[in-house]
Amino acid sequence: MLCCHCKKNQASKTYEKRKIVDKKTVKTTEYYCLECYCRLFVSVSDEKEPRTVCPACGMTVAAFKQKKLVGCAKCYSYLSGAVLPVVLKMQGAAEAHCGKEEASSDIEKLVKRAHEVQILLDKKKSENSSSAKIYERELASLRADIAAMKKGELT
């Protein structure tokens, strides 16, 4: 899909707008290339002082320090000078927090592992490696386990 602004480059970014038409909210999506998106929507400012108010929700640094709660998701970037040290202190600065791992079933885990083994097997076959047989056996075993789980024979 081409950029809706320059109509030359491949679109890689989206921008959603909501308009009120006849007392109904209508959502439209526009597609932009990276250059146009940065030029139109990303503002680079030369501010020497960090922001003290989140423009999205109105949360101030003083209110954050008092409540220890942010007002919205954008507070993390707009009030980063005050918010990030508190978050790092709570979570520990040794390792960055990457979110909670999504719970998945045993079948999903086996399917994911089978996909990984298939990729490794294809790589070893392209290299004419003798270790490809090990991956073939593991893949066959995983597929058998998946089939058994779907039938309810394996728990």
Side-chain angles (χ1 to χ4, degrees), residues 3 5 14 18 21 24 29 32 53 57 66 74 80 82-83 87 90 103-104 121 129 131 135 143:
C3 172
H5 186 70
T14 59
R18 298 180 192 272
V21 179
K24 292 183 181 180
T29 305
Y32 294 92
V53 178
C57 68
Q66 181 184 11
K74 294 187 182 207
S80 62
V83 173
V87 171
M90 286 179 3
S104 59
L121 176 62
S129 177
S131 62
Y135 291 111
R143 287 181 176 160

Side-chain angles (χ1 to χ4, degrees), residues 134-151:
I134 296 169
Y135 291 111
E136 286 175 347
R137 279 186 253 133
E138 184 179 355
L139 186 59
S141 173
L142 286 168
R143 287 181 176 160
D145 289 347
I146 292 168
M149 282 185 130
K150 285 182 179 179
K151 290 180 182 177

Side-chain angles (χ1 to χ4, degrees), residues 28 39 107:
T28 60
R39 194 173 343 113
I107 292 177

Side-chain angles (χ1 to χ4, degrees), residues 88-104:
L88 290 175
K89 186 177 178 183
M90 286 179 3
Q91 294 178 352
E95 189 176 312
H97 180 66
C98 57
K100 184 178 178 182
E101 184 178 324
E102 186 177 317
S104 59

Side-chain angles (χ1 to χ4, degrees), residues 24-39:
K24 292 183 181 180
T25 303
V26 178
K27 181 175 86 170
T28 60
T29 305
E30 296 176 343
Y31 300 90
Y32 294 92
C33 66
L34 188 57
E35 293 172 16
C36 291
Y37 185 85
C38 289
R39 194 173 343 113

Side-chain angles (χ1 to χ4, degrees), residues 54-59 70-72 75:
C54 174
C57 68
M59 174 65 74
V70 294
C72 69
C75 288

